[in-house]
Amino acid sequence: MFSSSLIDCGANMKNCQLPFLSDLLKRYCLPLLLLFSMPLLLHAQQPAPLKLIESIPLPGLKEGDFDHFAVDLDGHRLFLTAEANVLVEVFDAQTNKLIRTV
C-alpha cells in the first residue's frame, strides 16, 4: 500500500500527517461544502409574491408601456392608460373584460 516513509510517524503521532490526506482535503473540501450547502441556500428563496392567472388581449392598443393605473374598488373597475395611446381603457375587474374606451 504505502511505503513506510510516508506513514512512519515514529513515536510522535501528533505530528503525523499523511500527504495524500491533506491534498484531498484541500482539493475537495470547498466543493463538497458548496455542494451540501446548496439545498439550504435554495430553500431560503422566497416564492414569487404575484402569480399570473389570466391574460386579457388588447387588440386596439399600439405598442408601448402602460403609464398609469387606477382602481375603483366599489365599482370593480380598473382604469389604465398606455404610453403610445391617448385613450383610457376601462376594465371590469370581476369579468376581466374591456368595458369602455374613453
Side-chain angles (χ1 to χ4, degrees):
M1 286 182 104
F2 302 107
S3 67
S4 62
S5 63
L6 286 178
I7 59 172
D8 185 19
C9 300
N12 191 358
M13 291 298 286
K14 289 182 181 177
N15 294 330
C16 180
Q17 184 177 12
L18 301 174
F20 70 92
L21 185 60
S22 65
D23 217 19
L24 285 174
L25 287 175
K26 288 178 186 176
R27 184 173 295 159
Y28 297 111
C29 189
L30 182 61
L32 285 175
L33 179 66
L34 290 174
L35 177 71
F36 289 116
S37 65
M38 287 304 288
L40 295 173
L41 295 174
L42 293 175
H43 182 67
Q45 294 178 352
Q46 298 294 324
L50 299 175
K51 179 180 158 186
L52 178 65
I53 56 172
E54 188 176 348
S55 293
I56 302 170
L58 302 172
L61 292 180
K62 300 176 187 173
E63 293 292 323
D65 299 327
F66 292 106
D67 289 334
H68 303 285
F69 293 91
V71 177
D72 175 17
L73 294 177
D74 294 334
H76 304 286
R77 295 179 293 183
L78 173 67
F79 300 90
L80 61 95
T81 60
E83 184 177 299
N85 296 295
V86 292
L87 304 171
V88 176
E89 305 290 340
V90 184
F91 288 91
D92 184 343
Q94 290 179 325
T95 63
N96 295 334
K97 304 268 185 215
L98 180 64
I99 303 173
R100 181 173 306 185
T101 300
V102 182

